[in-house]
């Protein structure tokens, strides 16, 4: 973007002439697009869910992403609405909010490099939480219709991405299992203490 | 507005849009024909191009490969079939000039009376003035052909169509995704996922319908052609092709095909009565197979539209745009149904209303 702004300042009379880009300026626009794609790719490549893709794969895969900008406090999606796809945080951050009884609690804060909503890529499940932008944020979204069209068109590439998503979901499932196990153990311990204390009285 | 009113809304909207379209259509008929043809070809070729891309070709190379294969196939078919079709059309044209319908009618009545005594007087077809009917039929066929042909070829240069359509198709196939994405990028965040979902649904419906209809038309053509060849009908190729194309129009298409094929049979097949019966049996058989085998297999994913609505849509489409309007009536209505009914559902699901 900086390259485009600098080029438009170079006018013979010092004034901007809108819509009259020189070849150099068009090259700058092309380079700006390339740089934007490179930044996107760098943001996405570090994610485990998208590991194992070749350069050619990335060129095709990047076409699927939609870039969205959100203002401070703007809702990305609400709990209970049909999920359409996943988002990756490129700039800024988001808060993940859930309901506990009548209260809304913050479940997590996500920043650049974090992603959320992977399950909606696989299945039309309702969103399990509300996500709200913190400050001005830029997200990259990939959505189920585009994703499955890619899988049909390029089965090998689709298989690599599905493998990455499956690994992430399996990790979360294991973490959830461990958490449940810990909670059960704590409940049992609490139960035993309560029974022992009740017996003594 | 209640849910039931939303479901009736597409019918009202279709009528309103058709009325508006009827006003502007004469001014933009050539452009509409070009765009419609290009869109239909785009949807038809997209799976092949996607398949080529999946084999490792770039998008442009995939499109050019499919174009090359299609051009070779069309040139080959035309080279092989054109002489036969031209011969058959020339013979048919001469035959139509020579026909003595009164004599043919008399012979057909004599044959029927021999088979089922008293049937012609019972049905009162022995007094039918065949010349009047024949003259009406020729004028009707000629009038419709001239009016529809005038729209396509008189308003739009055929050479322009054959050059511009492939160019448009090339760019639709290559840049369609990018164009769609750039449009959706302008939708506010509040409606973004809902719009994306709707656009994909519409695209999927239209694509499935167009490809399904083309495949069905091809199947009906091949089946009719084979059956009429076995029967020994002189113009089996043309008749089969006409049957396949007319089958695209629900209700009226097969009826029109029966009338045209029946007339051709009376003109060219001996004995005419036997030929007419075989024609009815073959066309009924083709329709049976089409409705019970082809349609469920090929069109199972298309939009469900009530038969009464189908009839209304075709009548209105025919009134507005002739044969092109009749062909477009169902997909246009189907898109409007998806947009309006699904739009309401999406607005509720995404809590916009």
């Amino acid at each position: 973007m900086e390259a485009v702004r600098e080029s438009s300042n170079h006018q013979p009379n010092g004034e901007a002439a809108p819509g009259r880009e020189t070849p150099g300026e068009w090259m700058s626009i092309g380079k700006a697009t390339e740089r934007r794609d490179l930044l996107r790719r760098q943001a996405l490549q570090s994610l485990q869910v998208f590991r194992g893709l070749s350069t050619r794969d990335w060129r095709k895969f990047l076409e699927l992403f939609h870039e969205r900008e959100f203002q401070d406090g703007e809702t990305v999606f609400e709990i209970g609405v049909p999920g359409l796809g996943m988002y990756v945080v490129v700039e800024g951050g988001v808060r993940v909010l859930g309901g506990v009884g009548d209260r809304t609690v913050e479940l997590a804060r996500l920043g650049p490099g974090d992603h959320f909503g992977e399950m909606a890529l696989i299945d039309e499940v309702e969103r399990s939480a509300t996500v709200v932008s913190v400050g001005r944020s830029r997200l990259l979204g990939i959505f189920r219709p585009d994703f499955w069209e890619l899988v049909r068109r390029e089965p090998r590439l689709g298989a690599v991405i599905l493998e990455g998503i499956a690994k992430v979901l399996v990790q979360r499932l294991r973490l959830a299992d461990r958490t449940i196990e810990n909670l059960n153990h704590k409940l049992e311990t609490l139960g035993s203490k309560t029974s022992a204390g009740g017996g003594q009285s | 507005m209640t849910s039931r009113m939303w479901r009736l809304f597409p019918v009202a909207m279709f009528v309103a849009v058709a009325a508006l379209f009827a006003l502007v259509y004469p001014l933009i008929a050539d452009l509409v024909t070009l765009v419609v043809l290009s869109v239909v070809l785009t949807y038809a070729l997209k799976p092949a191009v996607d398949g080529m891309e999946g084999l490792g070709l770039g998008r442009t190379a995939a499109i050019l490969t499919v174009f090359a294969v299609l051009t070779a196939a069309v040139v080959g078919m035309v080279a092989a079939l054109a002489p036969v079709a031209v011969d058959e059309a020339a013979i048919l044209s001469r035959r139509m000039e020579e026909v003595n319908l009164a004599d043919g009618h008399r012979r057909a009545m004599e044959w029927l009376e021999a088979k089922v005594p008293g049937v012609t007087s019972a049905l009162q077809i022995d007094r039918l003035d065949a010349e009047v009917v024949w003259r009406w039929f020729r004028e009707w066929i000629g009038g419709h052909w001239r009016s529809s042909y005038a729209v396509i070829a008189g308003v739009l240069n055929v050479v322009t169509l054959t050059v511009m359509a492939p160019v448009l198709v090339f760019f639709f196939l290559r840049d369609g995704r990018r164009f769609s994405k750039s449009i959706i990028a302008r939708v506010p965040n509040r409606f973004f996922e809902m719009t994306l979902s709707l656009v994909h649904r519409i695209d999927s419906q239209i694509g499935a319908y167009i490809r399904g209809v083309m495949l069905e038309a091809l199947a009906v053509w091949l089946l009719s052609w084979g059956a009429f060849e076995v029967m020994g009908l002189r113009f089996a190729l043309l008749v089969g092709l006409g049957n396949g194309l007319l089958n695209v129009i629900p209700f009226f298409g097969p009826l029109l095909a029966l009338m045209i094929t029946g007339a051709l049979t009376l003109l060219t097949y001996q004995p005419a009565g036997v030929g007419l019966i075989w024609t009815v049996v073959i066309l009924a058989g083709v329709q049976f197979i089409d409705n019970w085998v082809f349609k469920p297999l090929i069109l199972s994913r298309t939009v469900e539209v009530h038969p009464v609505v189908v009839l209304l849509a075709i009548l209105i489409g025919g009134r507005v745009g002739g044969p092109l309007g009749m062909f477009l009536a169902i997909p246009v209505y189907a898109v409007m149904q998806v947009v309006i009914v699904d739009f309401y559902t999406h607005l509720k699901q995404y809590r916009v209303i």
Side-chain angles (χ1 to χ4, degrees):
Chain A
M1 291 303 288
E2 284 78 13
V4 174
R5 240 179 272 129
E6 279 170 34
S7 299
S8 66
N9 287 337
H10 295 163
Q11 301 296 328
N13 58 2
E15 289 180 4
R20 301 289 292 260
E21 291 86 357
T22 64
E25 286 166 344
W26 279 111
M27 281 181 64
S28 297
I29 292 171
K31 282 183 183 167
T33 308
E34 267 180 46
R35 203 174 72 165
R36 188 191 60 211
D37 283 348
L38 185 62
L39 286 172
R40 285 186 189 182
R41 187 173 151 178
Q42 283 171 347
L44 296 170
Q45 261 179 326
S46 58
L47 303 178
Q48 183 198 353
V49 69
F50 300 137
R51 290 217 185 118
L53 302 182
S54 66
T55 306
R56 180 183 162 270
D57 290 341
W58 272 110
R59 208 169 45 240
K60 289 182 182 292
F61 192 42
L62 280 175
E63 284 176 0
L64 302 187
F65 282 89
H66 296 257
E67 188 172 306
R68 306 296 300 179
E69 288 190 5
F70 294 85
Q71 306 303 316
D72 184 34
E74 193 176 357
T75 305
V76 179
F77 52 73
E78 285 184 6
I79 187 172
V81 300
L84 196 62
M86 69 176 276
Y87 291 88
V88 178
V89 182
V90 179
E91 281 178 29
V94 298
R95 298 165 66 207
V96 181
L97 307 172
V100 177
D102 292 334
R103 292 184 301 128
T104 300
V105 295
E106 183 176 298
L107 301 175
R109 262 199 194 220
L110 306 176
D114 291 329
H115 53 88
F116 55 95
E118 302 81 13
M119 287 195 293
L121 264 188
I122 308 299
D123 200 1
E124 193 176 343
V125 292
E126 287 181 355
R127 297 292 193 188
S128 54
T130 297
V131 175
V132 174
S133 176
V134 177
R136 208 161 154 221
S137 57
R138 197 156 62 90
L139 309 182
L140 286 177
I142 177 169
F143 301 98
R144 193 171 53 251
D146 296 323
F147 175 66
W148 284 105
E149 193 190 322
L150 177 75
V151 170
R152 279 189 288 273
R153 201 169 69 239
E154 306 251 3
R156 185 199 57 80
L157 172 56
V160 171
I161 299 168
L162 280 170
E163 186 188 345
I165 294 171
K167 281 180 180 168
V168 166
L169 292 178
V170 160
Q171 276 179 356
R172 289 192 183 166
L173 193 57
R174 285 206 182 105
L175 182 63
D177 282 346
R178 276 201 299 273
T179 308
I180 291 170
E181 207 178 308
N182 287 339
L183 285 171
N184 278 339
H185 179 68
K186 284 180 181 168
L187 271 173
E188 279 170 15
T189 311
L190 198 61
S192 320
K193 283 182 182 170
T194 309
S195 303
Q200 280 178 4
S201 65
Chain B
M1 202 180 268
T2 65
S3 172
R4 180 174 280 185
M5 285 170 77
W6 271 108
R7 290 188 185 276
L8 292 175
F9 199 54
V11 181
M13 274 294 291
F14 182 81
V15 174
V17 167
L20 188 66
F21 194 69
L23 290 173
V24 300
Y25 183 67
L27 303 172
I28 57 170
D30 52 349
L31 187 61
V32 168
T33 306
L34 177 62
V35 170
V36 165
L37 183 64
S38 302
V39 167
V40 167
L41 285 173
T42 301
Y43 275 108
L45 296 178
K46 193 169 173 296
V49 172
D50 288 347
M52 284 282 134
E53 207 182 354
L55 293 175
L57 290 176
R59 188 77 180 170
T60 304
I63 296 168
L64 292 175
T65 304
V66 169
F67 271 28
V69 169
L70 188 65
T71 305
V74 167
V75 166
M77 261 182 62
V78 168
L81 298 176
V84 175
V86 164
D87 280 345
E88 290 184 351
I91 292 169
L92 178 62
S93 176
R94 273 202 307 275
R95 198 73 182 89
M96 280 175 72
E97 294 300 323
E98 293 166 5
V99 72
N100 182 342
L101 196 65
D103 190 44
H105 178 242
R106 182 186 51 78
R107 280 190 278 115
M109 294 303 106
E110 283 170 2
W111 180 85
L112 262 176
E113 270 297 322
K115 296 295 176 189
V116 185
V119 67
T120 56
S121 52
L123 295 174
Q124 296 188 349
I125 53 176
D126 53 341
R127 293 181 210 150
L128 189 68
D129 188 340
E131 283 297 339
V132 170
V133 172
W134 179 239
R135 207 176 311 125
W136 168 84
F137 182 69
R138 283 179 63 181
E139 282 168 6
W140 183 77
I141 288 284
H144 271 271
W145 175 250
R146 275 194 297 276
S147 67
S148 58
Y149 188 72
V151 167
I152 296 169
V155 178
L156 180 66
N157 189 309
V158 173
V159 173
T160 307
L161 185 65
T162 50
V163 169
M164 288 302 299
V167 172
L168 274 185
V169 172
F170 175 82
F171 284 109
F172 284 165
L173 284 169
R174 196 189 71 161
D175 299 328
R177 254 183 254 148
R178 223 174 296 165
F179 180 68
S180 163
K181 203 171 155 184
S182 68
I183 299 281
I184 292 171
R186 281 153 175 73
V187 175
N189 289 328
R190 181 92 172 86
F191 307 109
F192 172 70
E193 283 196 18
M194 181 189 78
T195 306
L196 190 65
S197 176
L198 260 179
V199 165
H200 274 280
R201 225 170 108 58
I202 291 168
D203 183 59
S204 164
Q205 294 282 359
I206 296 174
Y209 181 81
I210 288 176
R211 285 188 289 271
V213 162
M214 290 179 81
L215 209 55
E216 190 197 1
L218 180 67
V220 167
W221 172 27
L222 294 175
L223 191 62
S224 307
W225 183 12
F228 283 121
E229 282 286 357
V230 169
M231 173 187 156
L233 186 64
R234 181 113 196 199
F235 312 105
L237 169 67
L238 288 176
V239 167
L241 181 60
N243 198 23
L245 290 174
L246 287 170
N247 198 64
V248 162
I249 304 169
F251 297 126
F252 298 110
L255 207 59
L256 199 56
L258 176 63
M259 288 167 64
I260 295 173
T261 312
L264 280 169
T265 306
L266 285 175
L267 283 173
T268 61
Y269 197 84
Q270 295 297 334
V274 171
L276 195 59
I277 291 173
W278 273 118
T279 298
V280 171
V281 166
I282 287 172
L283 289 179
V286 167
Q287 278 301 301
F288 181 83
I289 294 171
D290 181 36
N291 288 325
W292 288 95
V293 178
F294 296 155
K295 273 193 168 60
L297 280 177
I298 298 170
L299 296 178
S300 57
R301 286 185 298 155
T302 57
V303 173
E304 291 291 327
V305 182
H306 195 280
V308 171
V309 176
V310 167
L311 203 59
L312 277 174
I314 294 168
L315 286 171
I316 293 171
R319 199 77 187 145
V320 169
L324 185 63
M326 291 173 94
F327 170 70
L328 288 179
I330 301 306
V332 165
Y333 181 82
V335 167
M336 288 177 70
Q337 183 173 271
V338 167
V339 169
I340 293 168
V341 175
D342 283 18
F343 188 52
Y344 173 79
T345 309
H346 277 62
L347 287 174
K348 296 286 274 185
Q349 280 181 333
Y350 284 88
R351 297 185 192 153
V352 179
I353 57 170

